[in-house]
Structure formats: C-alpha cells, structure tokens
C-alpha cells in the first residue's frame, strides 16, 4: 500500500493536499515509521563520526581489497589521501578529533529534535519543515565549501546525495501530516455539528 494516496473523486472529506480520510491511526503509524527511519539514519551518521580514524583506515583497506582503486583510481587516491590526512592530523594534533566529536553530537541532537513530531506530528510539523530546509542547504554548502576545501567533484556529489535522499522521507512525512491535519479538522467539524443544538 502506498504511503501517499490520492483523494477519491467526489469525496466530501477531501481538502487541499489531503489523502482520503483513511484511518487516523494508520496515518499516524506511517508517520512514525518514516520518522523513525530518518532518526535512525541521523543517529547512525552521527555515531559513525566518532571513530573517524578507524573508519577511514577500514575504508582504505576495503577499497584495496575489492580492487576499486584499480577500477576507480581517483576514488582510491582520494580515500588514501583522507586516511593519511586523518591519521597525520589526529596523530600530531589529537584535538582535531574534538571537532568531529561535536559534529557527531550535533547529529544526535538533531535526531532528538524529532521526538516532538513523533509525539504530535501536526503541532510539530515545523520540525519537519526545518529539516527539509536543512536538506536543501546541503547542496549549496557542498558546492561552495567543497571547492574551497579541495574536495573532488565526485565526493561533493556524494555529500549532496545525503540532502537529496534525506528529503524524500521528509516529503512523505509532510504529506502524511497534512492528511492527518485534515482528518482531525473534519472530525472536529463533525463532532461540533453533532453537539451543536439545532436552531
């Protein structure tokens, strides 16, 4: 079943940008499922920023072992350069790792901000919209800072892909929240109509 449905023709409960008035609990479950996926990815990307030296060393060995360095020499050279840079920097100036520790912490804090939409997605839809803006901001950041820092174009594309991929579940969640908001409004209207005395 698709997470994004369309309003049936002639529906009396249809509204702008809304899906059919499906079961509210089902829509809430879908919202939570997509949000939990996004939170897990954020937390994972944060946690993997802590052991950066170990990871770059493992990545370099993996590229060598799989033969990717022969098939994609630019990738192999870049991975080796990053591994050497991290090892030299952390070895000579270990306080540099403190910067990536804060980067990891920031990812975890951002993930924690989604506790609000998990509890009440309609009230906290602004968090989802803010995250969508952040995903869009990944692209200009990579395009501007990448060349300034000597990052190869292909790796800038890898960085930009995080924003492109990350915004997909957020767009789905935003659409589902609009659906939930509409369902609540329709339900409240019907409840008011039943409770209001006839003139």
């Amino acid at each position: 079943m698709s997470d994004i449905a369309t309003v049936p023709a002639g529906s009396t409960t249809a509204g702008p940008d809304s899906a059919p008035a499906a079961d509210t609990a089902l829509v809430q479950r879908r919202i939570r499922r997509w949000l939990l996926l996004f939170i897990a990815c954020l937390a994972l990307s944060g946690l993997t920023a802590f052991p950066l030296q170990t990871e770059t060393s493992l990545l370099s060995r993996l590229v060598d072992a799989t033969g990717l360095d022969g098939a994609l020499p630019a990738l192999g050279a870049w991975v080796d350069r990053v591994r050497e840079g991290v090892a030299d920097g952390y070895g000579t100036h270990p306080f540099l790792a403190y910067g990536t520790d804060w980067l990891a912490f920031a990812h975890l804090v951002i993930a924690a901000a989604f506790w609000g939409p998990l509890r009440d997605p309609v009230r906290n839809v602004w968090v989802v919209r803010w995250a969508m803006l952040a995903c869009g901001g990944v692209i200009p950041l990579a395009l501007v800072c990448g060349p300034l820092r000597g990052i190869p174009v292909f790796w800038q594309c890898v960085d930009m892909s995080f924003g492109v991929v990350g915004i997909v579940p957020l767009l789905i969640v935003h659409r589902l929240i609009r659906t939930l908001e509409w369902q609540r409004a329709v339900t409240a209207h019907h409840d008011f109509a039943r409770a209001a005395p006839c003139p």
Side-chain angles (χ1 to χ4, degrees), residues 46-80:
L47 292 172
T48 55
F50 283 114
L52 198 57
Q53 186 171 359
T54 301
E55 288 171 343
T56 53
S57 178
L58 288 173
L59 179 60
S60 179
R61 289 203 294 268
L62 179 65
V63 169
D64 289 341
T66 56
L68 279 175
D69 54 340
L72 301 170
L75 174 63
W78 173 247
V79 169
D80 285 340

Side-chain angles (χ1 to χ4, degrees), residues 59-175:
L59 179 60
S60 179
R61 289 203 294 268
L62 179 65
V63 169
D64 289 341
T66 56
L68 279 175
D69 54 340
L72 301 170
L75 174 63
W78 173 247
V79 169
D80 285 340
R81 184 181 175 194
V82 170
R83 177 188 55 78
E84 293 170 4
V86 171
D88 291 346
Y90 284 16
T92 308
H93 306 292
F95 57 83
L96 292 174
Y98 193 53
T100 53
D101 291 340
W102 281 106
L103 170 69
F105 176 72
H107 278 77
L108 299 176
V109 169
I110 293 170
F114 284 87
W115 175 250
L118 277 175
R119 286 179 56 86
D120 189 341
V122 173
R123 172 180 280 184
N124 295 290
V125 67
W126 66 271
V127 176
V128 176
R129 291 173 180 159
W130 163 76
M132 291 164 63
L133 287 173
C135 285
V138 167
I139 295 175
L141 178 69
L143 291 174
V144 172
C145 295
L148 292 176
R149 306 302 185 193
I151 308 298
V153 173
F154 71 86
W155 200 261
Q156 293 176 44
C157 293
V158 171
D159 290 335
M160 287 187 285
S161 71
F162 285 95
V164 174
V165 172
I167 203 170
V168 172
L170 294 175
L171 287 170
I172 294 172
V173 166
H174 189 265
R175 181 67 183 266

